[in-house]
Amino acid sequence: MKAVNKIALELFQFRAAHSSASARRLEGEMCKELKTKVLRLCPPTSNGPSGHQEGQRDDADILRCTMKALKEGGVVAVPTDTIYGLACLAQSSEGIRKTYEIKGRNREKPLAVCVGEIRDIYEFCKVPVPNELLSDLLPGPVTLVLERSAALNADLNPFTSLVGVRIPDHAFIRRLSQMCGEPLALTSANVSSQTSTVAVHEFQDLWPKLAVVVDGGPMEHRDRLGSTVVDLSVPGKYRIIRPGCAVSSTVDVLTRKYGLSDDLGEH
């Protein structure tokens, strides 16, 4: 009987060791494959936050491997609450350079930054408006243009003292920023001057240049307008830079609740 138990124990240990080794190999292979594969997020289901389909990986695995690619200076494609975006670490000068090259974007056109929580805005921006105003607009489809702080990478938009900051109302990109522990530089996932994208196949020509493509499915709002961009850098004033998809509700909050006036002058 003891011999049987010993054999069973050895078999269990062998299988456990083999399973662990296989898991490590799979993780290594997965991170390599991310450079050429689209990874699909699990869609919501009626029984819980997400459900699995064939060919999908756990969202946690996708988050970890996307973070790894960003930390290595890569550029990734991610879903947001408006359109698909290209993201790199805002503090990575190499990532910023790659992002401009991939898009063919004019280096005089700025990149926005994305953070996970409202408190993160204060580290990288000077905020002349009440915290409650930020909470009324974010998370959401709004980009707030504020004066940048010295903590932000000097190679990001070196031609301006301002920076646009976003907190998209999308769990994946918010969690990604939180896990990275620093802001993401964010721009639309398309070649510069081409139409914004609301599904990953629409920017398929960019896939080979990206470290990871995260497929969150078609965007719920397909008007392709992107976020509303509003300049709040002048105390007591606001200026709409791009109307985007939420201009009416944004202006209503700024004027009716906080009494800001429209700044029609040039900055």
Side-chain angles (χ1 to χ4, degrees):
M1 185 66 179
K2 289 182 179 179
V4 172
N5 288 340
K6 182 179 180 182
I7 292 172
L9 177 60
E10 289 174 350
L11 180 60
F12 174 81
Q13 291 173 337
F14 172 81
R15 287 178 174 172
H18 179 73
S19 175
S20 177
S22 297
R24 286 194 297 269
R25 284 197 300 272
L26 177 60
E27 183 177 356
E29 289 169 2
M30 180 173 67
C31 288
K32 290 178 183 177
E33 291 172 354
L34 285 178
K35 295 182 179 179
T36 56
K37 278 193 174 181
V38 174
L39 301 180
R40 290 181 291 167
L41 296 177
C42 299
T45 68
S46 57
N47 296 324
S50 63
H52 294 279
Q53 296 180 8
E54 186 177 355
Q56 289 178 328
R57 295 188 173 96
D58 288 338
D59 290 0
D61 287 338
I62 297 176
L63 276 165
R64 283 192 293 268
C65 287
T66 306
M67 179 183 70
K68 180 177 184 292
L70 288 167
K71 292 290 188 180
E72 292 174 349
V75 179
V76 303
V78 290
T80 73
D81 53 353
T82 53
I83 57 179
Y84 272 87
L86 299 183
C88 69
L89 294 183
Q91 303 298 75
S92 168
S93 299
E94 176 68 7
I96 292 169
R97 180 189 65 78
K98 289 179 182 177
T99 301
Y100 277 97
E101 288 181 354
I102 290 169
K103 279 185 64 77
R105 186 176 178 85
N106 185 331
R107 292 299 298 257
E108 296 301 310
K109 291 186 176 181
L111 301 178
V113 298
C114 165
V115 296
E117 301 291 344
I118 287 176
R119 63 175 177 267
D120 300 327
I121 296 176
Y122 290 87
E123 180 177 356
F124 300 99
C125 301
K126 299 175 183 179
V127 183
V129 296
N131 188 75
E132 292 77 9
L133 187 155
L134 301 183
S135 298
D136 282 340
L137 296 178
L138 302 172
V142 182
T143 300
L144 305 181
V145 177
L146 302 167
E147 188 174 350
R148 61 193 290 157
S149 76
L152 198 60
N153 183 4
D155 289 333
L156 177 73
N157 311 335
F159 46 84
T160 177
S161 62
L162 305 179
V163 66
V165 61
R166 283 210 68 195
I167 306 179
D169 190 12
H170 193 287
F172 181 85
I173 190 170
R174 289 188 64 194
R175 182 60 182 146
L176 181 61
S177 180
Q178 291 166 350
M179 288 176 64
C180 288
E182 56 185 291
L184 307 178
L186 189 65
T187 185
S188 56
N190 57 283
V191 174
S192 190
S193 80
Q194 293 187 0
T195 305
S196 298
T197 57
V198 294
V200 294
H201 71 269
E202 295 181 346
F203 58 92
Q204 194 165 356
D205 54 329
L206 298 182
W207 290 2
K209 302 176 183 179
L210 302 173
V212 177
V213 176
V214 179
D215 183 359
M219 297 289 97
E220 182 178 349
H221 303 292
R222 303 190 187 185
D223 52 22
R224 303 177 189 270
L225 292 178
S227 65
T228 294
V229 181
V230 56
D231 187 342
L232 297 179
S233 62
V234 177
K237 304 282 188 178
Y238 77 90
R239 182 167 65 99
I240 299 297
I241 297 175
R242 182 178 72 189
C245 63
V247 64
S248 296
S249 58
T250 299
V251 169
D252 188 65
V253 168
L254 297 177
T255 57
R256 291 179 179 271
K257 187 170 182 178
Y258 294 98
L260 272 62
S261 58
D262 190 356
D263 181 6
L264 299 177
E266 293 291 332
H267 286 199

